[in-house]
Amino acid sequence: MRQTVSGVLAPLFIIGFLVSQAVHASPLAESVVEASPLGAIADQSPAMLRTGIRDGLVGTGQVDPFLAETIAGIGSRAFNPQRVRSQLATALADDLDNAQLEAVKDWYDSPLGRQLARAESQAAAPSSWKAVQAAGPALRERFEGTARQELFDRYERATGATDTAVETAMAVQLELADSLASLSEGDTVESVRAQIEDNRPAIERRVGEQVYLAFLSMYEGFPDKDLDTYLTFLESPAGQAYTASAADAVHDAIMEPVSSVGNQLVRLLGAGGR
């Protein structure tokens, strides 16, 4: 069972580096979603979740690929990209004032802001995830001991990307404790939850590595001075408010379909369907 707890849904970690109801936000907040990478993340959300769930379940070695694809489809259909866009825009409108929204919009309307948003949007596509993993060792070696490592430290302080991804990963697995227990005889929900909590240090190490490699890959083509400019924006009051609001909204969007996926796992696997 320990392989199941540590492996299931692992690819979803990358999303943290990314609603319950249709609501209306201000036109300014909606324009920020459109100009920033958030629009692309919303559009990619069904494919991102589908790929993460499918690969995570197959990776446990206890679910055949066809069943994993079926369950992944259930989760992905819970995402409506337009609803996700609306949720993100509403969160921004609630959390940022007009001056902050204008500052974020101005950044993403700048030439460098557009280039960076394009790079981040491309990184959100599941088709790019395996390429990042494959390029990881070479990227790590290339940037070892360079200023890029210091820039990543600033990025982490400004965005809290790793902490956000860890907490999302933990929340997903804890939410699925019932279904994870059904994957293995002899496990209870309580024992699965204990295993998940025990695995936190390993999850933190794994997520930290994935976030770092994603950072190196996404911004590989940008010189340090451009990343310094970007980080100056992220460290500003407007950038901080934007990042915090977006992180919370993406977390909520990820968690919404998890219960339906868990219910399907229990139904399909819990009654001898393994």
Side-chain angles (χ1 to χ4, degrees), residues 14-152:
I14 197 67
I15 300 177
F17 191 85
L18 112 283
V19 191
S20 59
Q21 56 185 340
V23 286
H24 298 286
S26 72
L28 178 56
E30 291 172 350
S31 70
V32 168
V33 171
E34 187 63 33
S36 73
L38 295 179
I41 290 173
D43 293 342
Q44 292 280 355
S45 57
M48 292 166 73
L49 190 70
R50 188 185 195 106
T51 299
I53 293 173
R54 182 196 64 212
D55 292 354
L57 290 174
V58 170
T60 68
Q62 299 185 30
V63 181
D64 69 66
F66 178 78
L67 182 56
E69 184 67 44
T70 300
I71 296 169
I74 293 168
S76 68
R77 286 193 292 275
F79 270 108
N80 179 303
Q82 189 53 48
R83 240 179 12 174
V84 176
R85 279 174 172 264
S86 180
Q87 180 71 12
L88 290 167
T90 300
L92 291 175
D94 289 343
D95 298 337
L96 280 69
D97 60 33
N98 281 344
Q100 290 173 323
L101 287 172
E102 288 285 3
V104 176
K105 180 67 163 53
D106 288 346
W107 162 256
Y108 282 112
D109 281 342
S110 70
L112 179 57
R114 286 195 295 269
Q115 293 173 28
L116 286 160
R118 188 159 49 246
E120 292 173 349
S121 297
Q122 291 170 352
S127 59
S128 71
W129 295 358
K130 288 185 178 180
V132 171
Q133 293 175 345
L139 285 171
R140 177 175 286 281
E141 182 178 359
R142 174 182 170 187
F143 291 109
E144 184 73 25
T146 69
R148 193 60 54 111
Q149 288 184 311
E150 296 178 5
L151 290 168
F152 175 72

Side-chain angles (χ1 to χ4, degrees), residues 45 49 78 95 97 120 137 158 179 189 194 209 213 247 252 259:
S45 57
L49 190 70
D95 298 337
D97 60 33
E120 292 173 349
S179 52
V189 175
E209 174 74 4
L213 294 180
D252 291 344
S259 59

Side-chain angles (χ1 to χ4, degrees), residues 158-213:
T159 66
T162 297
D163 287 344
T164 297
V166 167
E167 294 311 316
T168 298
M170 292 291 294
V172 167
Q173 295 198 25
L174 289 169
E175 182 69 22
L176 289 176
D178 286 331
S179 52
L180 290 173
S182 75
L183 288 170
S184 179
E185 295 181 2
D187 281 301
T188 64
V189 175
E190 290 75 18
S191 68
V192 171
R193 285 181 171 271
Q195 291 174 41
I196 292 170
E197 294 293 351
D198 288 345
N199 280 340
R200 177 182 281 270
I203 289 172
E204 289 174 344
R205 289 192 297 271
R206 184 172 185 179
V207 171
E209 174 74 4
Q210 291 184 340
V211 171
Y212 179 53
L213 294 180

